[in-house]
Amino acid sequence: MSQSLSILRYGMILLPAIAAIYLNPLEHYGEYMVYVLLFLAIAVLSRYLPGEASLKAALLLEIALSWWLCRNYGFMMAFLSVSSLCAYLPLFTRTYGWSLAALHLVLINHALMDSEPLIRTSANFLFVLVLVSVSLILEGMRKQEHTLRLYDELKQDHYRQDEAGKRLLHFAHQVESAAQTAERTRISRQLHDDIGHRLIRVKMMTEAAIQVTPGDPAKGMEMLHQIRDQLSQSMEEMRAAVKRVNPRRSLSDDYALDRLLEETEKETGIDTNLRLQGLPYPLYPSQHVVLYRNAKEAITNAIRHGGASQVNIVIHYGEEHVRMEVSNNGETGDHAASSSSPMEQGMGIRGMRERTELIGGLLEIRRTPVFTVITQLPVYRTTDMV
């Protein structure tokens, strides 16, 4: 029983019991106080009785005693009787509580059957008023408990979502770290295979130049110029490899399309353009890698095979997918009409398609009005993505 119901219950016991002393002439005040204190003791002890059976017995005893008090001491004892509503309505089910309330009302009417009609009517009105009031209080308490329970569940869901977001972010960092590790492995292999072999070739050409120069200075100078060119190319490759292996750069920096276009325009002199459509949102590291690789492959093919002088990239951020279109003004050639043509093999389209399908995307080749490579990737995000 809540504190508000306890105050109401004990107030309806003590105040009417005291008022009855002044309103009704009593012959034996001591006997009256004993019965009132007995009723109060039962009301207090019923809160601490173990088990439902003993509690029901105490409440039935309380109702029976209140019936006797009403019958012997009049209308004011109806307040004591009605106070029992505050005890058994919160403790039992609605069906049992209302059944007990009906029996309770019958007993009150039986106890006051010899009283005036106004007294009986007032007692019934008092009973109904208290019954409705207690029911409303209980309904408010149930709604409050339901609200608190929903709040606790919402708070737990928030904690679970926050934890899932942290795990997802940690997984994304792991994927990014794995991608960086794979890239560093590839770069180290490139340093060993390409630059290392080139330096070996330069060493051999240097030894040959030392042997040739005394007898044929012109031939020796030609070989020295070749050595210089080889060293320049090795330095450029070394500089690019060191720049990409920089650990302070994130995966989104390493696979940034704007930087790719900037470097392409600086190295080749062709015109490049990047345009975004829709509201950009974060992508997974695997999506960053696929878009970057496909764009780089498409640009390389446009320059090497199509002789393009202009490359345009359009990225559309949709609700269910992100789509990248890489188009160029180069020549497509009649031999590119079939998907099984040498162009499909030589231009790396098969590699782009396998890379895209690996994460559930689609690759489309459009040859009119301009040659366009379309990469479409599904996105898995909520309204507030971490």
Side-chain angles (χ1 to χ4, degrees):
M1 185 166 52
S2 66
Q3 184 177 3
S4 58
L5 289 179
S6 298
I7 295 175
L8 178 63
R9 174 168 166 75
Y10 296 129
M12 294 180 67
I13 295 175
L14 295 176
L15 295 180
I18 296 173
I21 297 176
Y22 297 97
L23 296 177
N24 299 325
L26 301 176
E27 297 180 359
H28 303 285
Y29 287 98
E31 181 181 351
Y32 168 76
M33 291 303 300
V34 168
Y35 288 125
V36 171
L37 291 177
L38 178 61
F39 183 90
L40 181 62
I42 295 174
V44 173
L45 292 176
S46 63
R47 300 182 58 183
Y48 304 101
L49 292 176
E52 184 176 349
S54 57
L55 182 58
K56 289 181 180 180
L59 289 173
L60 290 176
L61 178 62
E62 182 179 326
I63 293 175
L65 180 59
S66 67
W67 169 82
W68 188 87
L69 288 171
C70 289
R71 188 165 183 80
N72 289 275
Y73 295 102
F75 171 73
M76 294 302 294
M77 297 298 100
F79 287 90
L80 278 72
S81 181
V82 170
S83 69
S84 300
L85 289 170
C86 301
Y88 61 74
L89 286 181
L91 295 177
F92 302 121
T93 62
R94 181 171 299 180
T95 302
Y96 185 85
W98 283 77
S99 300
L100 189 58
L103 174 63
H104 191 177
L105 182 60
V106 171
L107 291 176
I108 291 178
N109 281 273
H110 181 270
L112 299 175
M113 61 183 302
D114 296 332
S115 302
E116 298 178 0
L118 179 61
I119 297 296
R120 294 198 303 270
T121 303
S122 299
N124 283 273
F125 180 77
L126 172 65
F127 186 92
V128 173
L129 179 63
V130 175
L131 176 64
V132 173
S133 300
V134 173
S135 300
L136 292 176
I137 293 174
L138 293 176
E139 186 65 23
M141 292 172 57
R142 293 189 187 99
K143 290 183 178 179
Q144 183 180 13
E145 293 177 357
H146 180 67
T147 302
L148 292 176
R149 184 168 61 254
L150 290 179
Y151 175 75
D152 291 338
E153 294 176 356
L154 181 62
K155 186 164 61 175
Q156 292 176 0
D157 291 340
H158 173 74
Y159 288 152
R160 285 194 290 266
Q161 291 179 1
D162 185 62
E163 186 65 24
K166 291 180 180 179
R167 289 197 299 268
L168 182 61
L169 185 60
H170 178 67
F171 176 73
H173 289 163
Q174 289 180 330
V175 172
E176 180 176 347
S177 177
Q180 289 178 341
T181 301
E183 183 65 15
R184 293 190 184 99
T185 302
R186 189 194 66 78
I187 292 174
S188 63
R189 187 179 297 113
Q190 178 184 356
L191 291 175
H192 177 270
D193 296 342
D194 297 342
I195 301 178
H197 293 169
R198 181 170 292 173
L199 291 177
I200 294 176
R201 187 164 60 251
V202 168
K203 178 178 179 298
M204 296 175 63
M205 292 176 63
T206 302
E207 293 177 352
I210 294 175
Q211 299 294 329
V212 171
T213 301
D216 190 351
K219 182 65 174 178
M221 287 301 296
E222 181 182 353
M223 297 180 66
L224 290 176
H225 285 300
Q226 294 178 1
I227 293 173
R228 180 195 61 189
D229 295 339
Q230 292 287 335
L231 289 175
S232 297
Q233 294 179 7
S234 298
M235 290 176 61
E236 289 297 328
E237 292 185 6
M238 180 71 73
R239 188 180 296 110
V242 172
K243 184 185 297 185
R244 296 193 62 182
V245 82
N246 185 1
R248 291 176 296 179
R249 294 174 57 180
S250 64
L251 183 140
S252 58
D253 293 331
D254 287 335
Y255 294 92
L257 294 177
D258 54 349
R259 180 175 288 107
L260 172 64
L261 293 182
E262 181 182 351
E263 294 175 354
T264 301
E265 189 170 351
K266 185 183 299 183
E267 294 175 358
T268 63
I270 67 173
D271 294 331
T272 60
N273 180 49
L274 175 62
R275 185 158 53 95
L276 303 181
Q277 295 179 348
L279 184 63
Y281 44 77
L283 299 176
Y284 288 104
S286 56
Q287 295 172 323
H288 272 295
V289 174
V290 171
L291 293 178
Y292 180 87
R293 294 292 189 192
N294 285 6
K296 185 175 182 180
E297 186 70 30
I299 293 173
T300 302
N301 294 338
I303 298 173
R304 182 180 303 171
H305 300 282
S309 61
Q310 184 178 7
V311 174
N312 297 315
I313 296 182
V314 178
I315 299 181
H316 174 75
Y317 290 89
E319 290 294 329
E320 299 180 354
H321 61 265
V322 57
R323 186 177 72 253
M324 180 184 69
E325 299 181 2
V326 184
S327 59
N328 65 84
N329 62 348
E331 298 291 335
T332 59
D334 296 337
H335 65 286
S338 175
S339 61
S340 59
S341 64
M343 182 182 180
E344 179 80 14
Q345 303 288 339
M347 294 185 67
I349 296 179
R350 177 177 299 174
M352 286 191 287
R353 177 169 284 109
E354 292 176 353
R355 187 185 302 121
T356 304
E357 293 176 351
L358 185 62
I359 61 172
L362 296 174
L363 185 77
E364 179 184 353
I365 306 300
R366 184 189 303 160
R367 294 180 170 83
T368 57
V370 294
F371 190 87
T372 305
V373 178
I374 303 174
T375 303
Q376 181 171 300
L377 303 179
V379 292
Y380 310 97
R381 65 192 188 100
T382 58
T383 55
D384 47 352
M385 179 176 175
V386 179

